[in-house]
C-alpha cells in the first residue's frame, strides 16, 4: 500500500514500529535537485560515479534521506550530520550509518537501485534493501553465496521462478546484514533468512524480516531488531518535487534560455 504525503515535521517512530519511504527517481525533475544540502563526502561519492543516471539516483536518494531525517529531528537537511558506528566485524569506522549528535531513538537505513530508493526509520536498528529482479542467467553466482538451505530452496524451484525468489532472498539478506551493521563484511552464507514459507525455519532470532511491496521488476525487504507491535509495512511515497529548493524559481530558471 502506498500513501503520498507532503513534507511535514514528523514524530519519531515509537518502539515496535517502523516507517518506510519510497522515492521514484524518475519523478525528480532533472537538473534542479537541491544538491547544496549534501555534505562534502556525499558530493565526492556522487562525483566518482561514472554514469549520469547513477549520480542522479545517488543524489536524489541522499537528498531524500536528509530531508526525512531533518523532519524527524527538526533540522534543516544540511544540518543533519551523518556518520558511522563501529563495524562489528573489524572495529573500523564503517558500521551502521547514524546521525551524529542526534536522538539515539532514531535509526535509519537507505537503499537505492534502478529507479527506486527506499528509506527505513525505526526506534531500533533497521536495514532496508531494494534490488532489481535478475534474469535467469544472473542467478547462479549470487545463489552460491547464500545459506545452504536457501540454495536448496532455490534449486527446488523451476528455472523461471528462481530470479524472483532469489531477489526476495537477497534483499532480506542484505537488509538483515545492514541492520546488524556489518553489511557484506559478514559472510552471507552464515544466516538463514529463507523463502518465507510458513513451515520454517525462521529468520534470525531477535529480528523481524518483512518483504516490502515495490514496483514490478524489483524486490525489497526490511529487517528491524525486535518484534513489531503494528501491522505493516506501509510504504509512503516521496514526491519528487519535495527534493528541490525553491521549486517554482528553479523550474523557471530551468526553462529560461541563457
Amino acid at each position: 500500500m502506498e500513501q503520498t504525503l507532503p513534507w511535514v515535521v514528523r514524530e519519531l517512530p515509537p518502539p515496535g514500529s517502523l516507517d518506510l519511504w519510497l522515492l521514484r527517481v524518475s519523478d525528480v525533475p532533472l537538473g534542479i535537485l537541491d544538491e547544496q544540502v549534501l555534505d562534502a563526502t556525499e558530493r565526492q561519492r556522487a562525483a566518482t560515479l561514472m554514469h549520469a543516471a547513477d549520480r542522479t539516483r545517488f543524489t536524489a536518494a541522499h537528498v531524500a534521506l536528509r530531508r526525512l531525517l531533518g523532519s524527524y529531528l527538526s533540522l534543516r537537511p544540511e544540518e543533519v550530520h551523518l556518520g558511522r558506528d563501529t563495524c562489528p566485524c573489524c572495529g573500523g569506522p564503517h558500521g551502521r550509518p547514524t546521525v551524529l549528535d542526534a536522538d539515539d531513538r532514531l535509526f535509519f537505513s537507505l537503499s537505492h537501485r534502478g529507479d527506486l530508493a527506499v528509506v527505513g526509520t525505526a526506534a531500533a536498528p533497521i536495514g532496508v534493501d531494494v534490488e532489481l529482479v535478475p534474469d535467469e542467467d544472473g542467478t547462479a553466482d549470487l545463489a552460491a553465496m547464500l545459506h545452504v538451505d536457501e540454495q536448496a530452496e532455490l534449486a527446488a524451484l523451476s528455472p523461471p521462478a528462481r530470479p524472483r525468489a532469489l531477489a526476495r532472498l537477497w534483499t532480506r539478506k542484505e537488509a538483515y546484514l545492514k541492520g546488524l551493521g556489518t553489511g557484506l563484511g559478514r559472510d552471507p552464507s552464515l544466516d538463514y533468512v529463507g523463502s518465507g514459507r510458513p513451515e520454517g525455519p525462521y529468520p534470525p532470532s531477535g529480528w523481524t524480516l518483512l518483504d516490502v511491496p515495490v514496483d514490478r521488476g524489483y524486490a525489497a525487504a526490511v529487517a528491524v531488531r525486535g518484534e513489531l507491535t503494528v501491522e505493516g509495512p506501509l510504504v509512503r511515497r516521496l514526491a519528487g518535487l519535495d527534493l528541490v529548493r525553491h521549486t517554482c524559481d528553479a523550474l523557471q530558471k530551468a526553462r529560461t534560455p541563457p
Side-chain angles (χ1 to χ4, degrees), residues 100-123:
L100 302 177
D101 301 321
D103 195 308
D104 60 6
R105 290 178 295 138
L106 178 63
F107 294 81
F108 71 91
S109 182
L110 165 68
S111 181
H112 48 85
R113 187 76 66 193
D115 191 44
L116 299 185
V118 177
V119 179
T121 57

Side-chain angles (χ1 to χ4, degrees), residues 59-235:
T59 301
H62 281 256
V63 170
L65 174 66
R66 284 180 165 277
R67 286 191 172 275
L68 274 174
L69 295 177
S71 72
Y72 286 113
L73 301 170
S74 297
L75 296 172
R76 293 194 298 268
E78 61 271 24
E79 295 174 333
V80 176
H81 299 299
L82 301 176
R84 291 275 184 172
D85 285 341
T86 300
C87 173
C89 292
C90 68
H94 47 257
R96 184 187 301 112
T98 185
V99 181
L100 302 177
D101 301 321
D103 195 308
D104 60 6
R105 290 178 295 138
L106 178 63
F107 294 81
F108 71 91
S109 182
L110 165 68
S111 181
H112 48 85
R113 187 76 66 193
D115 191 44
L116 299 185
V118 177
V119 179
T121 57
I126 185 174
V128 298
D129 191 54
V130 60
E131 302 287 346
L132 288 160
V133 175
D135 56 31
E136 290 186 35
D137 295 334
T139 61
D141 290 343
L142 202 57
M145 300 173 64
L146 297 172
H147 189 281
V148 292
D149 290 341
E150 295 166 346
Q151 293 183 44
E153 290 176 5
L154 287 175
L157 299 175
S158 65
R162 289 173 191 163
R164 178 68 186 172
L166 174 62
R168 184 171 60 246
L169 278 166
W170 190 257
T171 55
R172 291 177 186 173
K173 184 83 64 176
E174 281 223 49
Y176 171 63
L177 296 178
K178 287 180 179 181
L180 286 180
T182 66
L184 293 175
R186 178 177 171 85
D187 186 344
S189 70
L190 294 177
D191 304 293
Y192 178 89
V193 298
S195 62
R197 293 183 296 184
E199 63 268 25
Y202 299 101
S205 177
W207 288 79
T208 298
L209 271 64
L210 297 170
D211 295 328
V212 176
V214 287
D215 295 9
R216 185 178 180 85
Y218 293 83
V222 58
V224 62
R225 192 168 67 189
E227 295 185 4
L228 294 181
T229 58
V230 296
E231 293 185 5
L234 171 66
V235 183

Side-chain angles (χ1 to χ4, degrees), residues 38-48 58 62 66 82:
L38 302 182
D39 63 22
T41 299
E42 290 167 313
R43 293 177 191 174
Q44 183 178 13
R45 286 181 61 190
T48 63
F58 178 92
H62 281 256
R66 284 180 165 277
L82 301 176

Side-chain angles (χ1 to χ4, degrees), residues 26-44:
S26 57
D27 290 343
V28 179
L30 295 179
I32 56 174
L33 275 170
D34 189 7
E35 300 177 28
Q36 296 183 37
V37 306
L38 302 182
D39 63 22
T41 299
E42 290 167 313
R43 293 177 191 174
Q44 183 178 13

